[in-house]
Amino acid sequence: MKTLPDLNQLTHEQLLEFTRQLAMQHQSLAQSNQQLDAKVQHLEVTNQQLDGKVSLKNTSMNWRCLNSTNSAIKMNISPQNKSIYGMRRSKKISQQSIWNWSG
């Protein structure tokens, strides 16, 4: 970063030139600042959209867990479901045993 010259030593023309250069730098910085503000705003919108998608995904996962938990609870409550589930499981096991034995 440049240091400021001793303004008392400058002529009127040099002061005018110095002021003009400062004004140009100020304008350039203001434009850069606007561009950065626009990028930040875009990133904030994108971040909000991603947060919404993550929230929906988490809600969906929670519902799946809740539904599978409810299904398991229903199976534990109903004796008929227990016996049907047990039969299905034993058929799978016996089929696997036959497959492994014959293979």
Side-chain angles (χ1 to χ4, degrees):
M1 185 170 190
K2 294 182 180 180
T3 58
L4 289 176
D6 183 6
L7 299 178
N8 292 327
Q9 302 296 324
L10 298 179
T11 65
H12 180 70
E13 288 79 18
Q14 290 171 324
L15 279 172
L16 287 174
E17 179 61 23
F18 179 75
T19 304
R20 188 185 68 77
Q21 288 177 3
L22 279 179
M24 287 175 49
Q25 287 178 356
H26 175 74
Q27 184 178 6
S28 175
L29 289 173
Q31 288 173 345
S32 296
N33 195 25
Q34 285 176 345
Q35 290 172 352
L36 288 174
D37 285 346
K39 287 179 183 179
V40 166
Q41 194 172 21
H42 173 73
L43 289 173
E44 286 173 347
V45 168
T46 302
N47 196 23
Q48 288 173 352
Q49 290 171 344
L50 291 175
D51 284 346
K53 287 180 182 179
V54 167
S55 177
L56 284 174
K57 189 168 188 165
N58 286 340
T59 301
S60 174
M61 290 173 62
N62 289 339
W63 274 109
R64 277 193 228 134
C65 289
L66 182 63
N67 286 337
S68 64
T69 302
N70 287 342
S71 297
I73 290 170
K74 286 177 186 175
M75 288 177 64
N76 289 334
I77 292 173
S78 169
Q80 291 174 337
N81 283 343
K82 273 188 180 179
S83 62
I84 291 170
Y85 178 74
M87 287 173 46
R88 286 183 191 152
R89 182 141 175 84
S90 65
K91 283 183 183 178
K92 285 182 184 176
I93 292 171
S94 62
Q95 287 172 355
Q96 288 173 352
S97 301
I98 294 169
W99 175 260
N100 290 336
W101 180 74
S102 64

